[in-house]
Coordinates of all heavy atoms in Angstrom, one line a residue:
M22 N 142.0 91.5 79.0 CA 141.9 92.0 80.3 C 140.5 91.8 80.9 O 139.4 92.2 80.2 CB 142.4 93.4 80.3 CG 142.5 94.0 81.6 SD 143.1 95.7 81.6 CE 144.9 95.4 81.6
T23 N 140.4 91.4 82.2 CA 139.1 91.2 82.7 C 138.5 92.5 83.2 O 139.2 93.4 83.4 CB 139.2 90.2 83.9 OG1 139.9 90.8 84.9 CG2 139.8 88.9 83.5
A24 N 137.2 92.5 83.4 CA 136.5 93.7 83.9 C 137.0 94.1 85.2 O 137.2 95.3 85.5 CB 135.0 93.4 83.9
E25 N 137.4 93.1 86.0 CA 137.8 93.3 87.4 C 139.3 94.0 87.4 O 139.5 95.0 88.1 CB 137.9 92.0 88.2 CG 138.2 92.2 89.6 CD 138.3 90.9 90.3 OE1 137.3 90.1 90.2 OE2 139.2 90.6 91.0
N26 N 140.1 93.6 86.3 CA 141.5 94.3 86.2 C 141.2 95.7 85.7 O 141.9 96.6 86.2 CB 142.3 93.5 85.3 CG 142.7 92.2 85.9 OD1 142.7 92.0 87.1 ND2 143.2 91.3 85.1
V27 N 140.4 95.9 84.8 CA 140.0 97.3 84.2 C 139.7 98.1 85.4 O 140.1 99.3 85.5 CB 139.0 97.3 83.1 CG1 138.6 98.6 82.8 CG2 139.5 96.5 81.9
L28 N 138.7 97.7 86.2 CA 138.2 98.5 87.4 C 139.3 98.8 88.3 O 139.5 99.9 88.8 CB 137.0 97.8 88.1 CG 135.8 97.6 87.3 CD1 134.8 96.8 88.1 CD2 135.2 99.0 86.9
K29 N 140.2 97.9 88.6 CA 141.3 98.1 89.5 C 142.3 99.1 89.0 O 142.6 100.1 89.7 CB 142.1 96.8 89.6 CG 142.9 96.6 91.0 CD 143.5 95.3 91.2 CE 142.4 94.3 91.4 NZ 142.9 92.9 91.7
Q30 N 142.6 99.1 87.7 CA 143.5 100.0 87.1 C 142.8 101.5 87.1 O 143.5 102.4 87.4 CB 143.7 99.7 85.6 CG 144.8 98.7 85.3 CD 145.2 98.6 83.9 OE1 144.3 98.8 83.1 NE2 146.4 98.2 83.6
C31 N 141.5 101.5 86.9 CA 140.7 102.9 86.9 C 140.8 103.4 88.3 O 141.0 104.7 88.4 CB 139.4 102.7 86.4 SG 139.3 102.2 84.6
V32 N 140.6 102.6 89.3 CA 140.7 103.1 90.7 C 142.0 103.7 91.0 O 142.2 104.7 91.7 CB 140.2 101.9 91.7 CG1 140.7 102.4 93.1 CG2 138.8 101.7 91.5
E33 N 143.1 103.0 90.5 CA 144.4 103.5 90.8 C 144.6 104.9 90.1 O 145.2 105.7 90.8 CB 145.5 102.5 90.2 CG 145.6 101.2 91.0 CD 146.5 100.1 90.3 OE1 147.2 100.5 89.4 OE2 146.5 99.0 90.9
V34 N 144.1 105.1 88.9 CA 144.3 106.3 88.3 C 143.5 107.5 89.0 O 143.9 108.5 89.3 CB 143.9 106.3 86.7 CG1 143.9 107.7 86.1 CG2 144.9 105.3 86.0
L35 N 142.3 107.0 89.4 CA 141.5 108.0 90.2 C 142.1 108.4 91.5 O 142.0 109.5 91.9 CB 140.1 107.4 90.4 CG 139.2 107.3 89.1 CD1 138.0 106.3 89.5 CD2 138.7 108.6 88.7
E36 N 142.8 107.5 92.2 CA 143.5 107.7 93.5 C 144.6 108.8 93.1 O 144.9 109.6 94.0 CB 144.0 106.5 94.0 CG 142.9 105.7 94.7 CD 143.4 104.3 95.2 OE1 144.5 103.9 94.8 OE2 142.7 103.7 96.0
R37 N 145.3 108.6 92.0 CA 146.4 109.6 91.6 C 145.7 111.0 91.4 O 146.3 112.0 91.9 CB 147.0 109.1 90.3 CG 148.2 108.2 90.5 CD 148.9 107.8 89.3 NE 149.0 108.8 88.3 CZ 149.1 108.5 87.0 NH1 149.0 107.3 86.6 NH2 149.3 109.4 86.1
I38 N 144.6 111.1 90.8 CA 143.9 112.4 90.5 C 143.5 113.0 91.9 O 143.8 114.1 92.2 CB 142.7 112.2 89.7 CG1 143.1 111.8 88.3 CG2 141.8 113.4 89.7 CD1 142.0 111.4 87.3
M39 N 143.0 112.1 92.8 CA 142.5 112.6 94.1 C 143.7 113.1 95.0 O 143.5 114.0 95.8 CB 141.8 111.5 94.9 CG 140.4 111.1 94.3 SD 139.7 109.5 94.8 CE 140.3 109.3 96.4
S40 N 144.9 112.6 94.8 CA 146.0 113.0 95.6 C 146.8 114.1 94.9 O 147.8 114.6 95.6 CB 146.9 111.8 95.8 OG 147.5 111.4 94.7
D41 N 146.4 114.6 93.8 CA 147.1 115.7 93.1 C 146.6 117.0 93.5 O 145.4 117.3 93.3 CB 146.9 115.5 91.6 CG 147.7 116.5 90.7 OD1 148.3 117.4 91.4 OD2 147.8 116.3 89.5
D42 N 147.4 117.8 94.2 CA 147.0 119.1 94.8 C 146.7 120.2 93.6 O 146.1 121.2 93.9 CB 148.0 119.6 95.7 CG 148.0 118.9 97.0 OD1 146.9 118.2 97.3 OD2 149.1 118.9 97.8
A43 N 147.2 119.9 92.5 CA 146.9 120.8 91.4 C 145.5 120.7 90.8 O 145.1 121.6 90.0 CB 148.0 120.6 90.2
V44 N 144.8 119.7 91.2 CA 143.5 119.5 90.7 C 142.5 120.1 91.6 O 142.6 120.0 92.9 CB 143.1 117.9 90.7 CG1 141.8 117.6 90.2 CG2 144.2 117.2 89.7
P45 N 141.5 120.9 91.1 CA 140.6 121.6 91.9 C 139.8 120.6 92.7 O 139.6 119.4 92.4 CB 139.6 122.3 90.9 CG 140.4 122.4 89.6 CD 141.3 121.1 89.6
R46 N 139.3 121.1 93.9 CA 138.7 120.3 94.9 C 137.4 119.6 94.4 O 137.1 118.4 94.7 CB 138.4 121.1 96.1 CG 138.0 120.3 97.3 CD 137.7 121.0 98.6 NE 139.0 121.8 99.0 CZ 139.0 123.1 99.2 NH1 137.9 123.8 99.2 NH2 140.2 123.6 99.6
N47 N 136.6 120.3 93.6 CA 135.4 119.7 93.0 C 135.7 118.5 92.2 O 135.0 117.5 92.1 CB 134.6 120.7 92.3 CG 135.2 121.2 91.1 OD1 136.3 121.5 91.0 ND2 134.4 121.5 90.1
I48 N 136.9 118.5 91.4 CA 137.2 117.4 90.5 C 137.7 116.3 91.4 O 137.3 115.1 91.1 CB 138.3 117.8 89.5 CG1 138.0 119.1 88.7 CG2 138.7 116.8 88.7 CD1 136.8 118.9 87.8
R49 N 138.4 116.5 92.4 CA 138.9 115.5 93.3 C 137.8 114.8 94.0 O 137.7 113.6 94.1 CB 139.9 116.0 94.3 CG 141.2 116.5 93.8 CD 142.3 116.6 94.8 NE 141.9 117.5 95.9 CZ 142.3 118.6 96.1 NH1 143.2 119.2 95.4 NH2 142.0 119.3 97.2
R50 N 136.7 115.5 94.3 CA 135.5 115.0 94.9 C 134.8 114.1 94.0 O 134.4 113.0 94.3 CB 134.6 116.1 95.5 CG 134.4 116.1 96.9 CD 133.4 117.2 97.4 NE 134.1 118.3 97.8 CZ 134.0 119.6 97.3 NH1 133.1 119.8 96.4 NH2 134.7 120.6 97.7
S51 N 134.6 114.5 92.7 CA 134.0 113.8 91.7 C 134.8 112.5 91.5 O 134.1 111.4 91.3 CB 133.8 114.6 90.5 OG 133.0 115.6 90.6
A52 N 136.1 112.6 91.4 CA 136.9 111.4 91.2 C 136.7 110.4 92.4 O 136.7 109.1 92.2 CB 138.4 111.7 91.1
E53 N 136.5 110.9 93.6 CA 136.3 110.1 94.7 C 134.9 109.4 94.6 O 134.8 108.2 95.0 CB 136.4 110.9 96.1 CG 136.3 110.1 97.3 CD 136.6 110.9 98.5 OE1 137.0 112.0 98.5 OE2 136.5 110.2 99.6
S54 N 133.9 110.1 94.1 CA 132.6 109.5 94.0 C 132.7 108.4 92.9 O 132.0 107.4 93.0 CB 131.6 110.5 93.8 OG 131.7 111.0 92.5
V55 N 133.4 108.6 91.9 CA 133.6 107.6 90.9 C 134.3 106.3 91.4 O 133.9 105.2 91.1 CB 134.3 108.1 89.6 CG1 134.7 107.1 88.6 CG2 133.5 109.3 88.9
K56 N 135.3 106.6 92.2 CA 136.0 105.5 92.8 C 135.1 104.6 93.7 O 135.0 103.5 93.7 CB 137.2 106.0 93.6 CG 137.9 104.9 94.4 CD 138.9 105.5 95.3 CE 139.5 104.4 96.2 NZ 140.2 105.0 97.3
T57 N 134.2 105.4 94.5 CA 133.2 104.7 95.2 C 132.3 103.8 94.5 O 131.9 102.7 94.8 CB 132.5 105.7 96.1 OG1 133.3 106.5 96.9 CG2 131.5 105.0 97.0
I58 N 131.9 104.4 93.3 CA 130.9 103.6 92.4 C 131.7 102.4 91.9 O 131.1 101.3 91.9 CB 130.4 104.5 91.3 CG1 129.5 105.6 91.8 CG2 129.8 103.6 90.2 CD1 129.2 106.6 90.7
L59 N 132.9 102.5 91.5 CA 133.6 101.4 90.9 C 133.9 100.3 91.9 O 134.1 99.1 91.6 CB 134.9 101.9 90.3 CG 134.8 102.8 89.1 CD1 136.1 103.1 88.5 CD2 133.9 102.1 88.0
M60 N 134.0 100.7 93.2 CA 134.3 99.6 94.3 C 133.1 99.1 94.8 O 133.2 98.1 95.7 CB 135.2 100.3 95.3 CG 136.5 100.8 94.7 SD 137.5 101.5 96.0 CE 138.1 100.0 96.8
D61 N 131.9 99.5 94.4 CA 130.6 99.0 95.0 C 130.5 97.5 94.5 O 130.3 97.3 93.3 CB 129.5 99.8 94.6 CG 128.2 99.4 95.2 OD1 128.1 98.4 95.9 OD2 127.2 100.2 95.0
E62 N 130.5 96.6 95.5 CA 130.4 95.1 95.1 C 129.0 94.8 94.8 O 128.7 93.6 94.2 CB 130.9 94.3 96.3 CG 132.4 94.5 96.7 CD 133.3 93.9 95.7 OE1 132.9 92.9 95.0 OE2 134.4 94.5 95.3
S63 N 127.9 95.6 95.1 CA 126.6 95.1 95.0 C 126.0 95.4 93.5 O 124.9 95.1 93.3 CB 125.7 95.8 96.0 OG 125.7 97.2 95.8
V64 N 126.9 96.0 92.7 CA 126.4 96.5 91.4 C 127.2 95.8 90.3 O 128.4 95.5 90.5 CB 126.5 98.0 91.3 CG1 126.0 98.4 89.9 CG2 125.9 98.7 92.4
S65 N 126.6 95.4 89.2 CA 127.4 94.8 88.1 C 128.4 95.7 87.6 O 128.3 96.8 87.6 CB 126.3 94.3 87.0 OG 125.9 95.4 86.3
E66 N 129.4 95.1 86.9 CA 130.5 95.8 86.3 C 130.0 96.7 85.2 O 130.4 97.9 85.1 CB 131.6 94.9 85.7 CG 132.6 94.4 86.6 CD 132.2 93.1 87.3 OE1 131.1 92.5 86.9 OE2 132.9 92.6 88.1
A67 N 129.0 96.4 84.4 CA 128.4 97.2 83.4 C 127.8 98.4 84.0 O 127.9 99.5 83.4 CB 127.5 96.4 82.5
I68 N 127.0 98.3 85.0 CA 126.3 99.4 85.6 C 127.4 100.4 86.2 O 127.2 101.6 86.1 CB 125.4 98.9 86.7 CG1 124.3 98.0 86.1 CG2 124.7 100.1 87.4 CD1 123.3 98.7 85.1
K69 N 128.3 99.8 86.9 CA 129.4 100.7 87.5 C 130.1 101.4 86.4 O 130.3 102.7 86.5 CB 130.5 99.7 88.2 CG 130.1 99.1 89.4 CD 131.3 98.3 89.8 CE 131.0 97.2 90.8 NZ 132.1 96.4 91.3
A70 N 130.4 100.8 85.3 CA 131.1 101.6 84.2 C 130.3 102.7 83.6 O 130.7 103.8 83.5 CB 131.5 100.6 83.2
A71 N 129.0 102.3 83.4 CA 128.1 103.3 82.8 C 128.0 104.6 83.8 O 128.0 105.7 83.2 CB 126.7 102.7 82.5
S72 N 127.8 104.3 85.0 CA 127.7 105.4 86.0 C 128.9 106.2 86.0 O 128.8 107.5 86.1 CB 127.3 104.8 87.4 OG 126.1 104.1 87.3
A73 N 130.0 105.5 86.1 CA 131.2 106.2 86.2 C 131.6 107.1 84.9 O 132.0 108.2 85.1 CB 132.4 105.2 86.4
I74 N 131.3 106.5 83.8 CA 131.5 107.2 82.5 C 130.7 108.5 82.5 O 131.2 109.6 82.1 CB 131.3 106.3 81.3 CG1 132.4 105.2 81.2 CG2 131.1 107.1 80.0 CD1 132.0 104.1 80.2
S75 N 129.5 108.4 82.9 CA 128.6 109.6 83.0 C 129.2 110.7 83.8 O 129.3 111.9 83.4 CB 127.3 109.2 83.5 OG 126.4 110.3 83.7
I76 N 129.7 110.4 85.0 CA 130.3 111.4 85.9 C 131.6 111.9 85.3 O 131.9 113.1 85.3 CB 130.6 110.9 87.2 CG1 129.2 110.5 87.9 CG2 131.4 111.8 88.1 CD1 129.3 109.7 89.2
L77 N 132.5 111.0 84.8 CA 133.8 111.4 84.2 C 133.5 112.3 83.0 O 134.3 113.3 82.8 CB 134.5 110.2 83.7 CG 135.0 109.2 84.9 CD1 135.6 108.0 84.3 CD2 136.1 110.0 85.7
D78 N 132.5 112.1 82.2 CA 132.2 112.9 81.0 C 131.8 114.3 81.5 O 132.3 115.2 80.9 CB 131.1 112.3 80.2 CG 130.8 113.1 78.9 OD1 131.8 113.5 78.2 OD2 129.6 113.4 78.7
E79 N 131.1 114.4 82.5 CA 130.7 115.7 83.1 C 131.9 116.5 83.6 O 132.1 117.7 83.3 CB 129.7 115.4 84.3 CG 128.6 116.2 84.3 CD 127.6 115.9 85.5 OE1 127.8 116.4 86.5 OE2 126.8 115.0 85.2
I80 N 132.8 115.8 84.4 CA 133.9 116.6 85.0 C 135.0 116.8 83.9 O 135.8 117.8 84.0 CB 134.5 115.9 86.2 CG1 135.1 114.5 85.9 CG2 133.5 115.8 87.3 CD1 135.8 113.9 87.1
S81 N 135.1 116.1 82.8 CA 136.1 116.4 81.8 C 135.8 117.6 81.0 O 136.7 118.2 80.4 CB 136.2 115.2 80.8 OG 135.0 115.1 80.0
N82 N 134.5 118.1 81.1 CA 134.1 119.3 80.5 C 134.3 120.5 81.3 O 134.0 121.7 80.9 CB 132.7 119.2 80.0 CG 132.5 118.3 78.9 OD1 133.4 118.1 78.0 ND2 131.5 117.4 79.0
D83 N 134.8 120.3 82.5 CA 135.0 121.4 83.5 C 136.1 122.3 83.0 O 137.2 121.8 82.8 CB 135.4 120.9 84.9 CG 135.4 122.0 86.0 OD1 136.0 123.1 85.8 OD2 134.9 121.8 87.1
P84 N 136.0 123.6 82.8 CA 137.0 124.5 82.3 C 138.2 124.7 83.2 O 139.2 125.1 82.8 CB 136.3 125.9 82.0 CG 135.1 125.9 83.0 CD 134.7 124.4 83.1
N85 N 138.1 124.4 84.5 CA 139.1 124.5 85.4 C 140.0 123.3 85.5 O 141.1 123.4 86.3 CB 138.6 124.9 86.8 CG 137.8 126.2 86.8 OD1 138.2 127.1 86.1 ND2 136.6 126.3 87.4
I86 N 139.8 122.2 84.9 CA 140.5 121.0 85.0 C 141.8 121.2 84.4 O 141.9 121.6 83.2 CB 139.8 119.8 84.5 CG1 140.3 118.6 85.0 CG2 139.5 119.9 83.1 CD1 139.5 117.3 84.7
P87 N 142.9 120.8 85.0 CA 144.3 120.9 84.3 C 144.3 119.9 83.2 O 143.6 118.8 83.2 CB 145.2 120.4 85.4 CG 144.5 120.5 86.7 CD 143.1 120.4 86.4
L88 N 145.0 120.2 82.1 CA 145.1 119.4 80.9 C 145.6 117.9 81.2 O 144.9 117.0 80.7 CB 146.0 120.0 79.9 CG 146.0 119.5 78.5 CD1 144.5 119.6 78.0 CD2 146.9 120.3 77.7
H89 N 146.5 117.7 82.0 CA 147.0 116.4 82.3 C 145.9 115.6 83.0 O 145.8 114.4 82.7 CB 148.3 116.3 83.0 CG 148.1 116.8 84.5 ND1 148.1 118.2 84.8 CD2 148.0 116.1 85.6 CE1 148.0 118.3 86.1 NE2 147.9 117.0 86.7
T90 N 145.1 116.3 83.8 CA 144.0 115.5 84.5 C 142.9 115.1 83.6 O 142.4 114.0 83.6 CB 143.5 116.4 85.7 OG1 144.6 116.8 86.5 CG2 142.5 115.6 86.5
R91 N 142.6 116.0 82.6 CA 141.6 115.8 81.7 C 142.0 114.6 80.8 O 141.2 113.6 80.6 CB 141.4 117.0 80.7 CG 140.3 116.7 79.7 CD 139.9 118.0 78.9 NE 139.2 118.8 79.7 CZ 139.5 120.2 79.9 NH1 140.4 120.7 79.3 NH2 138.7 120.9 80.7
T92 N 143.3 114.5 80.5 CA 143.7 113.3 79.7 C 143.6 112.0 80.5 O 143.2 111.0 80.0 CB 145.2 113.4 79.3 OG1 145.4 114.7 78.6 CG2 145.7 112.4 78.4
L93 N 143.9 112.0 81.8 CA 143.8 110.9 82.7 C 142.3 110.5 82.7 O 142.0 109.3 82.7 CB 144.4 111.1 84.0 CG 145.8 111.3 84.2 CD1 146.2 111.7 85.7 CD2 146.4 109.9 83.9
I94 N 141.4 111.4 82.9 CA 140.0 111.1 82.9 C 139.5 110.6 81.6 O 138.7 109.6 81.7 CB 139.2 112.4 83.3 CG1 139.4 112.7 84.8 CG2 137.7 112.2 83.0 CD1 138.9 114.0 85.3
W95 N 140.0 111.0 80.5 CA 139.5 110.5 79.3 C 140.0 109.0 79.1 O 139.3 108.1 78.6 CB 140.1 111.2 78.0 CG 139.4 112.5 77.8 CD1 138.1 112.8 78.2 CD2 139.9 113.7 77.1 NE1 137.8 114.1 77.8 CE2 138.9 114.7 77.1 CE3 141.1 114.0 76.4 CZ2 139.0 115.9 76.5 CZ3 141.2 115.2 75.8 CH2 140.2 116.1 75.9
N96 N 141.3 108.7 79.6 CA 141.8 107.4 79.6 C 141.0 106.4 80.5 O 140.8 105.3 80.0 CB 143.3 107.4 80.0 CG 144.2 108.0 79.0 OD1 143.9 108.2 77.9 ND2 145.5 108.4 79.5
V97 N 140.6 106.8 81.7 CA 139.8 106.0 82.5 C 138.5 105.8 81.8 O 138.0 104.6 81.8 CB 139.6 106.8 83.9 CG1 138.5 106.0 84.7 CG2 140.8 106.8 84.6
A98 N 137.9 106.8 81.2 CA 136.6 106.6 80.5 C 136.8 105.5 79.4 O 135.9 104.7 79.3 CB 136.0 107.9 80.1
S99 N 137.8 105.7 78.7 CA 138.0 104.8 77.6 C 138.2 103.4 78.0 O 137.7 102.4 77.5 CB 139.3 105.2 76.9 OG 139.1 106.4 76.1
Q100 N 138.9 103.2 79.2 CA 139.1 101.8 79.8 C 137.8 101.3 80.2 O 137.5 100.1 80.0 CB 140.1 101.9 81.0 CG 141.5 102.1 80.7 CD 142.0 100.9 79.9 OE1 141.8 99.7 80.4 NE2 142.8 101.0 78.9
L101 N 137.0 102.1 80.8 CA 135.6 101.7 81.3 C 134.7 101.2 80.1 O 133.9 100.4 80.2 CB 134.9 102.7 82.1 CG 135.6 103.0 83.5 CD1 135.0 104.1 84.1 CD2 135.5 101.7 84.4
E102 N 134.9 101.9 79.0 CA 134.1 101.5 77.8 C 134.4 100.1 77.2 O 133.6 99.7 76.5 CB 134.3 102.6 76.7 CG 133.6 103.9 77.0 CD 133.9 105.0 76.1 OE1 134.7 104.8 75.2 OE2 133.3 106.2 76.3
T103 N 135.5 99.6 77.7 CA 135.9 98.2 77.2 C 135.2 97.1 78.0 O 135.2 96.0 77.6 CB 137.4 98.0 77.3 OG1 137.8 98.0 78.6 CG2 138.2 99.0 76.5
I104 N 134.5 97.5 79.1 CA 133.7 96.6 79.9 C 132.5 96.1 79.2 O 131.7 97.0 78.9 CB 133.5 97.1 81.3 CG1 134.8 97.3 82.1 CG2 132.5 96.2 82.2 CD1 134.6 98.0 83.4
P105 N 132.4 94.8 79.0 CA 131.2 94.4 78.2 C 129.9 94.4 79.0 O 129.9 94.2 80.2 CB 131.6 92.8 77.8 CG 132.5 92.5 79.0 CD 133.2 93.7 79.4
V106 N 128.9 94.8 78.3 CA 127.5 94.8 78.8 C 126.9 93.4 78.8 O 126.8 92.8 77.7 CB 126.7 95.8 78.1 CG1 125.2 95.7 78.7 CG2 127.2 97.2 78.0
S107 N 126.8 92.8 80.0 CA 126.3 91.5 80.0 C 124.9 91.3 80.5 O 124.4 92.2 81.2 CB 127.2 90.6 80.9 OG 127.5 91.2 82.1

């Protein structure tokens, strides 16, 4: 799977999180900022992934996050970790 496909899949999951009303507003906002980072064309895939993983790690530790959302965030972070550093 190419880095571009991984990013596309991650953006889709983040959009699901952002549209879920059961997710606290601050988590949805963070998901939106991660999506913005991943869609930035001026930055390399490796930098996008590293920045996104950092934010995702932070929000996954939020005590108010629903369990299903935490799992989705971990999955997105795992996908982003497969992007090779070039």
Side-chain angles (χ1 to χ4, degrees):
M22 188 177 272
T23 67
E25 192 174 305
N26 288 343
V27 170
L28 292 174
K29 203 175 293 185
Q30 277 187 335
C31 292
V32 166
E33 288 173 10
V34 174
L35 290 167
E36 287 172 346
R37 276 184 29 211
I38 292 170
M39 289 163 34
S40 65
D41 187 349
D42 290 337
V44 177
R46 193 175 300 132
N47 65 322
I48 304 295
R49 291 196 311 251
R50 244 184 265 123
S51 294
E53 189 172 354
S54 70
V55 170
K56 177 186 167 194
T57 303
I58 290 168
L59 294 180
M60 296 181 76
D61 186 354
E62 296 289 326
S63 66
V64 181
S65 75
E66 276 90 2
I68 301 292
K69 289 181 201 180
S72 301
I74 289 168
S75 174
I76 296 171
L77 292 171
D78 184 47
E79 227 175 89
I80 63 175
S81 72
N82 292 319
D83 189 314
N85 298 319
I86 191 170
L88 192 55
H89 69 280
T90 305
R91 181 173 285 131
T92 304
L93 288 173
I94 287 173
W95 285 339
N96 289 341
V97 170
S99 295
Q100 285 293 314
L101 290 172
E102 288 171 355
T103 66
I104 294 176
V106 178
S107 48

